[in-house]
Amino acid sequence: MASELRAERIAAGGDAIAREPDGRVVFVPGALPGELVRVTLVEERTDFARASLDEVLEPSPDRVGPPCPFVAQGCGGCSWQHIRPEAQPTLKVAIVAEALARTGGLRDAVVVAGPALATTGFRTTLRLAVDARGRTGFRAARSHDVVAVGPCLVAHPRLNELLDVEFPGAREVTLRCGAATGDRSAATDPAGAVLEARLPTDVATGRRAAIREVVEGVELHVSTGSFFQTRADGAAALVQAVAHAADGHVGAGPMVDAYAGVGLFAVTLGAGVSVTAVEWSRSSCADARHNLAGRDAHVIEVDVERWRPHSAGLVVADPSRRGLGARAAAVLAATLAPRLVLVSCDAASLARDTKLLAGHGYRHAGSTVLDLFPHTPHVEVVTRFDRA
Ligand SMILES: C[S@@+](CC[C@H](N)C(=O)[O-])C[C@H]1O[C@@H](n2cnc3c(N)ncnc32)[C@H](O)[C@@H]1O
């Protein structure tokens, strides 16, 4: 059934929220706050509904035509291409503030936007789907179809050069490059398929493949099996935001880098400081040991929830989307660190963790939202917590 609705705000997943006359919430992908839209309900539940956007009757001043031509061909890689890039950080700040208010119970939390980052050519890691012919691309919106793209608006130029390489027999391929070094690597699922690809000879493949990246003047070794931030300038922005949130607490006692990956925060912030890096991936731990060689640093390969905490002057924690959860929050709080800096890539898990940390005496003291993923609703949030 078609109806006209006024979009009110943006929900965490990036859809707009509108209300029917009886107050029921309707999620409308592709609409923007303030817009009058004609929609068709596609899913109806008692307390909410989902709709498809038929027509924008009164467009927002922030609405733009997608800058990438592959959106018209169905590419689902970037779902916010209809929003002016300069307006996206403000929407992300609103998403985080709303999650902290609703789930975290903080009505007046300080939430600010971080510095502006490039909105094109930034991705130094690309995870691509592969079609039956071996061509790479992104999944179409709400579908398993693969839309071949190239050049990709958000990919680093060094990776765009690889988008016409075919990977017969692969389901997925991960391409990575070092923005500072020009290094490139490729890995496929299944692993053997990468051997069939006609890649330029400089592209590292295989079990030991790695790239080097430089962040804040420090070189990092990153193996294909290890997590690394999807953009080099974003990694630098994160380090700066974490340093700002840590304030005078770097060096005020041992530092714990929890969910350390290849040691991004331990390496860049922990010079001259005793550091414990906690990480469960074998590949990431091996890279972290390499990157922290010669430092007063211990890399511990264990689930954060099972780590036996020691006292610390600063904890930096950068968990995956699900956040810390109750057990890890308790473990990290047991360090009694006066300052804890949490890096969250999901607004809802940040809000849940904020509540959990409050239960251990850690007070929310401000969040900075970094726009590491322009043209998508994904957020990256650096939050400072002070121990009471
Ligand atoms: C978002 S990444 C952050 C990595 C690093 N801080 C960085 O910025 O490059 C999260 C990391 O936590 C690790 N991880 C996820 N859950 C974990 C757990 N329960 N215990 C230990 N490490 C975990 C993942 O392997 C990944 O390296």
Side-chain angles (χ1 to χ4, degrees):
M1 190 186 66
S3 54
E4 286 181 16
L5 298 174
R6 176 80 62 186
E8 292 173 3
R9 56 196 165 81
I10 291 278
D15 297 348
I17 291 181
R19 277 178 199 280
E20 291 180 302
D22 65 0
R24 183 170 68 161
V25 161
V26 184
F27 292 97
V28 189
L32 283 175
E35 290 185 333
L36 182 66
V37 290
R38 181 172 297 126
V39 303
T40 301
L41 297 188
V42 292
E43 182 186 340
E44 295 203 56
R45 305 273 182 96
T46 326
D47 47 351
F48 73 90
R50 294 188 191 284
S52 64
L53 176 64
D54 299 332
E55 192 181 350
V56 179
L57 302 169
E58 289 176 14
S60 158
D62 291 330
R63 177 170 288 279
V64 292
C68 170
F70 296 102
V71 173
Q73 293 174 28
C75 179
C78 301
S79 62
W80 266 17
Q81 292 231 0
H82 58 292
I83 309 176
R84 201 166 54 85
E86 298 75 18
Q88 294 177 22
T90 310
L91 294 174
K92 294 184 185 190
V93 165
I95 287 171
V96 172
E98 162 125 1
L100 284 170
R102 277 180 183 247
T103 310
L106 295 179
R107 296 257 148 243
D108 301 314
V110 174
V111 184
V112 299
L117 296 173
T119 59
T120 60
F122 55 83
R123 277 197 82 122
T124 48
T125 300
L126 283 183
R127 201 159 147 208
L128 300 154
V130 182
D131 71 10
R133 285 178 42 192
R135 291 175 309 183
T136 61
F138 291 100
R139 300 260 178 228
R142 290 172 289 282
S143 155
H144 285 294
D145 293 349
V146 178
V147 180
V149 298
C152 167
L153 181 78
V154 297
H156 189 279
R158 290 283 287 158
L159 297 188
N160 260 328
E161 292 166 12
L162 301 178
L163 290 185
D164 57 358
V165 176
E166 295 186 356
F167 292 84
R171 280 185 295 270
E172 229 177 59
V173 57
T174 302
L175 303 174
R176 193 179 261 164
C177 71
T181 60
D183 289 356
R184 300 191 282 192
S185 69
T188 53
D189 175 21
V194 77
L195 301 174
E196 304 298 318
R198 295 212 183 129
L199 283 159
T201 51
D202 71 282
V203 180
T205 58
R207 233 165 39 85
R208 302 178 78 82
I211 58 125
R212 295 158 304 147
E213 184 58 279
V214 180
V215 180
E216 295 293 271
V218 190
E219 186 174 289
L220 296 160
H221 177 92
V222 185
S223 299
T224 52
S226 305
F227 173 90
F228 196 63
Q229 300 294 337
T230 51
R231 55 188 299 173
D233 62 348
L238 264 179
V239 169
Q240 287 161 17
V242 169
H244 184 72
D247 201 7
H249 290 261
V250 179
M255 170 180 167
V256 174
D257 183 359
Y259 309 90
V262 303
L264 176 67
F265 300 120
V267 173
T268 51
L269 301 177
V273 179
S274 171
V275 180
T276 302
V278 188
E279 163 65 49
W280 70 5
S281 145
R282 179 149 299 175
S283 171
S284 296
C285 284
D287 287 344
R289 286 189 188 102
H290 177 102
N291 294 330
L292 288 160
R295 300 274 193 94
D296 178 9
H298 304 275
V299 178
I300 302 180
E301 186 182 322
V302 70
D303 184 338
V304 170
E305 295 183 4
R306 294 177 183 275
W307 175 58
R308 291 176 61 183
H310 57 66
S311 69
L314 170 69
V315 171
V316 179
D318 182 9
S320 52
R321 284 182 81 80
R322 60 185 277 269
L324 297 177
R327 287 178 70 114
V331 166
L332 297 178
T335 61
L336 302 181
R339 175 73 46 87
L340 188 152
V341 179
L342 180 65
V343 182
S344 314
C345 53
D346 182 79
S349 73
L350 163 64
R352 287 193 299 272
D353 288 343
T354 296
K355 214 165 183 178
L356 289 167
L357 288 169
H360 292 286
Y362 282 90
R363 185 182 58 85
H364 178 277
S367 292
T368 300
V369 184
L370 295 168
D371 196 5
L372 300 194
F373 311 99
H375 312 296
T376 80
H378 296 300
V379 298
E380 192 79 14
V381 193
V382 175
T383 303
R384 170 181 149 181
F385 290 91
D386 289 327
R387 190 160 169 274

